Amino acid sequence: MTARLLGAACVLVGAAGAGFLRAAHWAGEAALLASFCQALARMAGEIRCNQTRLPPLCCQLARELTGPARTIFLEVAQGLEAGARPAEELWDAALLRHGCPAAARQIWHDLALTFGRYDPARQADAIDAALAQMQLLARQAASARAERGRQCRVFGICGGAALAILLL
């Protein structure tokens, strides 16, 4: 009997853990998009006021950001300094590797097409437009984090409890 109770407890904890892990995914996505908004706002100002080139700007942002955003900017900066691939390919590869949402990848791809091709004022305008799109995406992700995160946690706990009851 003790083994069955222990097994049921393990099933309950495992299913609840899976629900909480999925909820953490939604939180991570929202945090990444918020970091992107912060980075885009900073990029627009740096390009507009200081006319900072993109590779040093990406290095600077990588030092200021945390989590996956830091790694993404660092990878892009290194790729830009190497000069082996176009900016849009570097962004696409880094964002895909770190599990960035498809809509955000598209925003970065479209923005990367302007880097090095337009004057600083037009690049800053393109960054402002991308920032507006990213802010909308970040608000949607924050809303989804609250709603879907709660659902994932509840489903994990309830599913684990139902399975544990069936096993007993």
Side-chain angles (χ1 to χ4, degrees):
M1 184 65 176
T2 305
R4 290 182 79 170
L5 285 176
L6 185 60
C10 287
V11 166
L12 176 62
V13 170
F20 279 82
L21 184 64
R22 187 67 184 152
H25 165 76
W26 291 108
E29 184 175 296
L32 178 62
L33 293 174
S35 292
F36 285 161
C37 289
Q38 177 188 356
L40 285 168
R42 178 70 188 252
M43 287 175 81
E46 284 290 327
I47 289 175
R48 187 173 280 121
C49 298
N50 300 332
Q51 296 188 356
T52 307
R53 291 184 53 246
L54 193 58
L57 179 56
C58 286
C59 285
Q60 182 180 352
L61 288 169
R63 286 190 300 271
E64 296 173 5
L65 296 171
T66 60
R70 163 182 263 157
T71 309
I72 290 168
F73 274 89
L74 190 58
E75 288 178 14
V76 170
Q78 291 169 346
L80 288 170
E81 288 172 352
R85 295 167 51 192
E88 62 272 11
E89 288 181 19
L90 295 169
W91 282 107
D92 290 344
L95 294 168
L96 188 61
R97 192 171 21 262
H98 293 282
C100 185
R105 286 196 315 265
Q106 187 61 49
I107 292 169
W108 278 109
H109 177 82
D110 294 344
L111 180 60
L113 291 172
T114 68
F115 293 143
R117 295 185 175 108
Y118 297 127
D119 64 350
R122 286 189 60 200
Q123 285 183 16
D125 291 342
I127 293 171
D128 288 337
L131 175 59
Q133 293 174 337
M134 195 68 72
Q135 287 172 333
L136 176 63
L137 207 57
R139 282 193 299 274
Q140 291 170 346
S143 174
R145 176 194 68 203
E147 178 73 22
R148 292 183 182 142
R150 184 174 45 254
Q151 288 174 352
C152 290
R153 287 188 294 272
V154 168
F155 286 150
I157 292 169
C158 292
L163 192 56
I165 289 170
L166 286 175
L167 291 175
L168 291 177

